[in-house]
């Protein structure tokens, strides 16, 4: 018989609706039951695409004997960390304090009825394994500790709450202390951890870190050094030597290595969450929306800098994957694809040479096999091969004694056949909830790619997602004239108060979209979001933004996160977006809130800048405000100017092409129209240069050179 989770919107919670465990969703019903029965809470946090979450569910939560122990001694609460990142943040931090090690998913925490944690871990096997105790035995030890050591539990709870408070930012600094020194130190640290052989930062497991890559690209642009494709990205399939510590080379080389590695889906496009090895070869196969949106933007930036066709291919294929597999009929983007299919991680993606040979002609296999590494030893479990670019086409052509151009066509045919055959397999599960924050990250990626490559269908995809959010997740308050965001929607049911990330990421998405396709209603929506951010999340005393709104459910901790995690920090994104909106609208309150947020976090990022990259991007534009270029004129000519400018990498320049029909504009945007011609105003801070009516003059003002 289904438990309470059958009524939830989260696919992850619904996956546990058939468990014999008497699960509750987080809420007052569960907390009241714990208090009334004086039982500890067993809090299990995970998400739909998580491999080890599935393993623990199969081993323990689906087992009647284990469930009987859980039901007898605990109030069991299951949480989707993607719907409740507020709870996940709190109890991941608590786990780190208690265990002195990093957390992960599934997160297994034991709480008092007052929600204070006293023990925890991540995955626990049903029987002792991996140096871990068996889960049923652990449960009995935990419940005994709970009933016999209340004083110790209370003491530990006080220590954890004190630790939470010590983790809050301790600023503020003075505005006069701002300098580029933390940015320079962050780059030095990235260079020290850069893997010059395989790209990326640090050792295995390797994550893409798109925000760090953005910092590298932006610092290259700020240096004023012109760099085309030559010397930046070679034939990645043939391997590279050390690339040094130049920020552009670190970013471009990393993006190139990822693009030819197994972390990238060589047949279907899109990136997996991370590589389990240092070579980008074998991924953890789940695909997350929040990775692919920022990576779309980074590969678009990299192409704008280098014109490397590999980067254009990655953007093309990843945008196609997003629209094909991740966009709902209603417009919003789904959350993720599982790592597993048929209860095996990666089964959907891997091959044997025999499977491939059976699908291809002889000439197709002759190119495809060495290209994707099928002539090498198996690189995945069970004698399977996960595809990656093992050899370049030029090298294969020399081996086959053919011109290189004759190898491209059979490879393309082979890819099409393999993709078609893979589509017939049992697919990984898809988490079809639509999250506001993750949709915003993908809107940024699709809008940026549409602008750089001039692709209206990608712009339409981004607009469809925005329209879904505005129509479904942006709701009128019944008791006031104000609107507010909701965090998630599944099967037409939108709910849960939105978090800082939802508001900040969506504000940033609107600013990105306005640069691709300016519409007055987007500017109005951006101002509404900014007002909600200030009213519902901002701390007017020391500055900064809380992760939860002022009217959110009271939890044991209310963090102000500045540190980047798998996604950028909400405080960093809010600071950057508010600064930009302040420059566009002239609203000083937006600029002040951004400045006070940077003042609050400046002491921390000055000491340990790595991990605060999104705040560093905001700091960069606080020190030197972005240029705002306003284009006004006839629609046809405006599009021509936008097309030329969109293909340039100008990270510290906002280009807004405002049509003749646009209304409700700020003074900066409401420039006088000159009949029959496009005019451009270049502004920075409170200064605007005289308008120019020739594109070549504007390019000269912006110091843009052609890619060579």
């Amino acid at each position: 018989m289904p438990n309470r989770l059958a009524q939830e919107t989260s696919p992850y919670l619904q996956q546990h609706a058939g468990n014999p465990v008497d699960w509750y969703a987080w809420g007052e019903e569960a907390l009241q039951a714990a208090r009334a029965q004086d039982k500890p809470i067993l809090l299990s946090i995970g998400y739909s695409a998580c491999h080890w979450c599935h393993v623990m569910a199969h081993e323990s939560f689906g087992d009647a004997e284990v469930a009987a122990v859980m039901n007898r001694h605990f109030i069991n609460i299951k949480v989707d960390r993607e719907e409740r990142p507020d709870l996940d943040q709190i109890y991941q931090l608590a786990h780190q304090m208690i265990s002195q090690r990093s957390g992960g998913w599934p997160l297994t925490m034991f709480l008092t009825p007052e929600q204070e944690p006293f023990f925890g871990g991540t995955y626990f096997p049903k029987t002792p394994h991996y140096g871990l105790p068996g889960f049923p035995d652990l449960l009995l030890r935990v419940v005994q500790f709970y009933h016999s050591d209340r004083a110790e539990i209370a003491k530990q709870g006080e220590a954890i709450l004190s630790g939470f408070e010590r983790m809050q930012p301790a600023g503020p600094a003075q505005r006069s202390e701002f300098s580029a020194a933390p940015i320079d130190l962050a780059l030095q640290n990235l260079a020290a951890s850069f893997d010059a052989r395989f790209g990326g930062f640090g050792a295995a497991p390797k994550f893409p870190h798109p925000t760090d890559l953005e910092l590298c690209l932006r610092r290259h642009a700020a240096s004023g050094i012109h760099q085309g494709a030559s010397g930046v990205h070679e034939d990645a399939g043939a391997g590279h030597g050390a690339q040094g510590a130049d920020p552009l080379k670190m970013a471009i080389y990393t993006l190139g290595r990822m693009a030819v590695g197994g972390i990238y889906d060589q047949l279907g496009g899109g990136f997996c969450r991370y590589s389990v090895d240092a070579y980008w070869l074998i991924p953890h196969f789940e695909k997350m929306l929040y990775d692919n949106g920022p990576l779309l933007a980074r590969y678009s930036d990299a192409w704008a800098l280098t014109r490397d066709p590999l980067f254009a291919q990655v953007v093309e294929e990843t945008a196609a994957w997003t629209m094909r597999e991740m966009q709902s009929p209603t417009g919003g983007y789904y959350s993720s694809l599982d790592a597993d299919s048929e209860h095996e991680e990666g089964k959907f993606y891997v091959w044997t040479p025999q499977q491939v040979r059976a699908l291809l002609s002889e000439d197709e296999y002759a190119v495809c096999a060495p290209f994707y590494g099928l002539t090498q030893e198996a690189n995945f479990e069970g004698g399977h091969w996960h595809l990656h670019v093992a050899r370049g086409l030029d090298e294969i052509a020399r081996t086959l004694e053919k011109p290189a151009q004759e190898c491209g066509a059979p490879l393309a045919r082979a890819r099409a056949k393999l993709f078609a055959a893979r589509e017939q397999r049992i697919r990984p599960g898809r988490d079809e909830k639509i999250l506001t924050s993750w949709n915003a990250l993908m809107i940024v990626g699709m809008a940026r790619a549409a602008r750089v490559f001039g692709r209206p269908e990608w712009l339409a995809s981004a607009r469809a997602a925005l329209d879904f959010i505005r129509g479904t997740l942006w709701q009128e308050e019944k008791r006031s004239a104000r609107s507010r965001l909701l965090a998630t929607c599944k099967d037409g049911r939108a709910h849960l108060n939105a978090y800082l990330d939802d508001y900040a990421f969506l504000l940033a998405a609107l600013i990105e979209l306005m640069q691709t396709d300016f519409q007055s209603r987007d500017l109005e929506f951006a101002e509404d979001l900014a007002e909600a951010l200030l009213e519902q999340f901002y701390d007017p005393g020391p500055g900064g933004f809380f992760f939860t709104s002022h009217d959110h459910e009271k939890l044991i901790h209310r963090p102000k996160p500045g540190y980047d995690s798998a996604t950028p920090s909400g405080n960093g994104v809010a600071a950057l977006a508010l600064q930009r909106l302040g420059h566009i609208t002239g609203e000083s309150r937006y600029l002040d809130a951004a400045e006070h947020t940077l003042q609050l976090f400046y002491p921390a990022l000055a000491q340990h800048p790595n991990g605060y990259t999104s705040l560093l991007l905001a700091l960069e534009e606080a020190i030197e405000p972005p240029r705002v270029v306003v284009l006004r004129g006839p629609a046809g000519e405006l599009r021509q100017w936008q097309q030329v400018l969109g293909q340039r990498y100008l990270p510290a320049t906002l280009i807004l092409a405002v049509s003749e029909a646009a209304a409700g504009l700020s003074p900066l945007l409401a420039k006088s129209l000159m009949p029959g011609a496009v005019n451009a105003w270049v502004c920075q801070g409170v200064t605007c240069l005289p308008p120019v009516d020739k594109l070549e003059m504007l390019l000269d003002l912006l110091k843009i050179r052609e890619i060579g």
Side-chain angles (χ1 to χ4, degrees):
M1 183 176 180
N3 56 44
R4 297 173 188 84
L5 301 185
Q7 306 304 315
E8 296 298 315
T9 61
S10 161
Y12 175 66
L13 299 190
Q14 290 173 353
Q15 287 170 6
H16 293 79
N19 291 164
V21 177
D22 185 19
W23 288 115
Y24 291 80
W26 182 276
E28 186 54 36
E29 181 187 6
L31 300 176
Q32 176 58 35
R35 293 190 292 266
Q37 299 175 43
D38 189 25
K39 286 184 176 180
I41 293 168
L42 192 166
L43 177 65
S44 177
I45 301 179
Y47 59 101
S48 178
C50 166
H51 171 70
W52 287 104
C53 299
H54 296 318
V55 173
M56 191 167 179
H58 174 72
E59 290 179 345
S60 294
F61 303 148
D63 183 276
E65 293 182 2
V66 177
V69 177
M70 295 171 66
N71 295 339
R72 185 179 309 118
H73 296 294
F74 298 90
I75 298 299
N76 303 291
I77 300 179
K78 176 61 74 173
V79 166
D80 182 341
R81 66 108 173 177
E82 296 167 359
E83 284 195 341
R84 294 300 304 261
D86 53 339
L87 295 171
D88 188 53
Q89 281 190 38
I90 290 170
Y91 292 108
Q92 291 285 354
L93 281 173
H95 171 268
Q96 291 177 33
M97 293 182 193
I98 292 170
S99 68
Q100 297 299 300
R101 64 182 67 181
S102 59
W105 301 278
L107 181 68
T108 308
M109 296 297 293
F110 298 93
L111 322 179
T112 68
E114 291 72 38
Q115 308 171 40
E116 294 181 3
F118 62 90
F119 183 72
T122 52
Y123 162 77
F124 289 105
K126 181 183 174 183
T127 57
H129 198 40
Y130 309 114
L132 296 168
F135 193 52
D137 294 337
L138 176 71
L139 295 176
L140 295 175
R141 288 159 55 188
V142 167
V143 76
Q144 181 181 8
F145 177 63
Y146 173 75
H147 288 295
S148 63
D149 290 275
R150 295 294 182 90
E152 178 63 26
I153 288 173
K155 182 179 178 182
Q156 180 173 279
E158 291 176 5
I160 288 173
L161 294 178
S162 297
F164 282 155
E165 290 307 309
R166 289 194 300 272
M167 287 183 174
Q168 296 286 60
Q174 297 299 311
R175 174 67 175 81
S176 58
E177 297 178 50
F178 288 2
S179 78
I183 302 171
D184 295 337
L185 179 57
L187 284 173
Q188 292 172 23
N189 293 339
L190 286 174
S193 66
F194 177 62
D195 183 342
R197 184 176 180 188
F198 299 110
F201 304 101
K206 270 189 181 165
F207 291 80
H209 294 295
T211 310
D212 289 338
L213 297 175
E214 181 178 10
L215 178 66
C216 289
L217 294 176
R218 287 180 63 108
R219 293 317 292 168
H220 164 75
S223 72
I225 299 172
H226 175 64
Q227 178 79 61
S230 176
V232 176
H233 177 72
E234 304 163 16
D235 177 8
H240 287 269
Q243 291 286 346
D246 175 82
L248 178 65
K249 290 183 177 180
M250 288 193 294
I252 297 300
Y253 186 59
T254 297
L255 291 167
R257 293 296 302 193
M258 287 170 52
V260 299
I263 192 174
Y264 182 66
D265 183 350
Q266 298 294 333
L267 298 182
F271 288 85
C272 298
R273 193 162 72 95
Y274 66 89
S275 172
V276 301
D277 52 58
Y279 327 114
W280 305 111
L281 182 60
I282 302 300
H284 189 39
F285 285 90
E286 60 195 14
K287 284 184 177 180
M288 314 300 293
L289 191 69
Y290 66 70
D291 291 315
N292 283 281
L295 286 171
L296 257 182
R298 295 296 78 73
Y299 278 92
S300 298
D301 295 342
W303 181 85
L305 276 164
T306 67
R307 298 298 193 263
D308 191 309
L310 175 64
F311 298 150
Q313 177 185 339
V314 168
V315 173
E316 175 81 36
E317 294 171 353
T318 301
W321 166 76
T322 301
M323 295 169 66
R324 181 182 67 244
E325 298 188 29
M326 302 304 288
Q327 190 151 30
S328 74
T330 57
Y333 298 113
Y334 298 133
S335 294
S336 63
L337 298 180
D338 283 4
D340 300 6
S341 57
E342 302 181 76
H343 307 292
E344 293 183 26
E345 184 178 10
K347 185 172 183 179
F348 180 76
Y349 298 96
V350 298
W351 299 84
T352 65
Q354 293 76 18
Q355 290 173 325
V356 174
R357 187 184 291 275
L359 294 167
L360 305 183
S361 67
E362 185 175 337
D363 65 321
E364 290 164 353
Y365 188 80
V367 177
C368 176
F371 187 81
Y372 285 130
L374 296 170
T375 56
Q376 301 172 353
E377 292 185 2
N379 59 19
F380 195 64
E381 302 161 359
H384 286 85
W385 278 252
H386 179 52
L387 304 185
H388 67 290
V389 180
R391 295 172 66 188
L393 277 181
D394 288 344
E395 181 184 354
I396 293 169
R398 287 193 296 270
T399 302
L400 296 176
E401 298 181 346
K402 291 183 176 181
Q405 57 268 29
E406 290 185 15
C407 293
L411 178 63
R413 293 195 301 271
R415 291 186 74 222
K417 289 180 179 180
L418 293 178
F419 177 76
R422 197 180 76 174
E423 286 292 281
Q424 303 306 310
R425 295 177 175 178
I426 296 175
R427 302 184 62 83
R430 180 170 64 189
D431 188 326
E432 294 187 353
K433 68 176 178 290
I434 296 170
L435 297 169
T436 300
S437 59
W438 294 10
N439 268 251
L441 292 173
M442 182 53 76
I443 290 170
V444 169
M446 293 295 279
R448 178 83 60 90
R451 182 164 75 252
V452 172
F453 291 95
R455 297 291 290 271
E457 69 272 31
W458 299 348
L459 172 61
S461 172
R463 281 228 163 268
L466 178 63
D467 289 344
F468 176 84
I469 292 172
R470 187 158 22 200
T472 305
L473 291 154
W474 179 244
Q475 298 196 340
E476 294 288 341
E477 284 279 89
K478 294 180 180 178
R479 291 167 293 176
S480 72
R482 295 191 180 278
S483 297
R484 68 182 304 141
L485 271 176
L486 299 178
T488 183
C489 181
K490 173 71 165 57
D491 297 330
R493 181 184 164 198
H495 69 130
L496 297 178
N497 285 348
Y499 308 98
L500 169 61
D501 290 0
D502 298 297
Y503 284 88
F505 294 2
L506 187 55
L507 178 57
L510 285 162
I511 292 171
E512 190 69 44
L513 199 52
M514 284 190 284
Q515 295 179 77
T516 303
D517 174 38
F518 183 87
Q519 294 188 14
S520 298
R521 67 188 185 121
D522 292 339
L523 180 57
E524 293 170 6
F525 192 17
E527 291 177 292
D528 288 342
L529 286 171
E531 294 298 328
L533 261 176
L534 296 181
E535 180 182 329
Q536 298 178 30
F537 294 87
Y538 185 61
D539 187 349
F545 294 87
F546 292 106
F547 187 72
T548 53
S549 61
H550 298 322
D551 60 355
H552 193 75
E553 169 193 1
K554 184 174 174 58
L555 302 172
I556 62 170
H557 178 49
R558 193 182 180 202
K560 267 188 202 174
Y563 203 79
D564 296 328
S565 59
T567 55
S569 154
N571 269 283
V573 175
L576 181 61
L578 285 170
Q579 281 177 163
R580 292 184 155 203
L581 187 62
H583 291 302
I584 292 169
T585 64
E587 177 53 72
S588 61
R589 291 181 299 118
Y590 303 159
L591 296 168
D592 291 344
E595 182 174 301
H596 293 152
T597 299
L598 284 168
Q599 288 178 259
L600 177 68
F601 287 100
Y602 190 82
L605 62 87
Q607 280 194 306
H608 306 287
N610 295 83
Y612 291 94
T613 309
S614 58
L615 279 162
L616 294 178
L617 301 180
L619 175 64
E620 183 181 52
E621 291 196 4
I623 295 171
E624 183 173 354
R627 295 177 299 192
V628 181
V629 177
V630 181
L631 306 176
R632 300 219 65 186
E637 288 82 351
L638 273 182
R639 283 193 294 272
Q640 293 174 11
W641 285 48
Q642 278 187 288
Q643 183 177 10
V644 172
L645 293 167
Q647 293 184 2
R648 272 61 176 184
Y649 181 61
L650 300 167
T653 301
L654 306 176
I655 299 175
L656 301 167
V658 183
S659 72
E660 295 172 322
L665 301 174
S666 67
L668 177 70
L669 301 180
K671 301 297 185 185
S672 300
L673 290 164
M674 307 295 181
V678 173
N679 275 256
W681 289 261
V682 179
C683 305
Q684 189 167 25
V686 296
T687 303
C688 289
L689 299 176
V692 297
D693 60 1
K694 297 289 189 295
L695 180 57
E696 295 75 14
M697 295 173 65
L698 177 60
L699 295 175
D700 188 58
L701 277 177
L702 299 176
K703 295 182 171 59
I704 298 175
R705 301 188 183 102
E706 289 292 334
I707 297 293

